[in-house]
Amino acid sequence: ELFKYGFLGPAVDVPAPDVGTGEREMAWMKDQYQTLFGVNDINAPGCVTGKPITSGGIVGRTEATGRGVYYATRAFVNHPKVM
């Protein structure tokens, strides 16, 4: 339904895991997307993020958000006008 109305796709909106969802649900969404719309579409695995590595995910995805927060905080506190 989300794809049918233009709300889901590799170049539109890419869902990610949140509270109550994880790698399993993201892999399921990717599999359903590919089954329905893009078995041979090279971009189909990009319809969701947070997949397990075995389903086309990437190493480091689990840590990526926390790492981004760390670098942003470090840049903020090291800015001369802040401290």
Side-chain angles (χ1 to χ4, degrees):
E1 290 297 310
L2 292 173
F3 175 80
K4 190 164 119 179
Y5 294 104
F7 294 121
L8 174 68
V12 180
D13 188 18
V14 180
D18 204 338
V19 177
T21 61
E23 290 183 340
R24 181 185 64 187
E25 290 78 17
M26 296 300 107
W28 175 81
M29 287 180 71
K30 186 226 23 147
D31 291 345
Q32 291 303 307
Y33 183 91
Q34 282 187 305
T35 299
L36 295 171
F37 307 109
V39 175
N40 296 317
D41 181 359
I42 193 168
N43 295 314
C47 71
V48 296
T49 187
K51 303 172 294 292
I53 294 170
T54 57
S55 291
I58 60 171
V59 175
R61 165 62 183 89
T62 305
E63 301 85 8
T65 302
R67 188 169 290 142
V69 170
Y70 165 76
Y71 285 120
T73 303
R74 186 176 75 177
F76 178 76
V77 299
N78 288 327
H79 192 279
K81 291 187 177 182
V82 175
M83 294 308 222

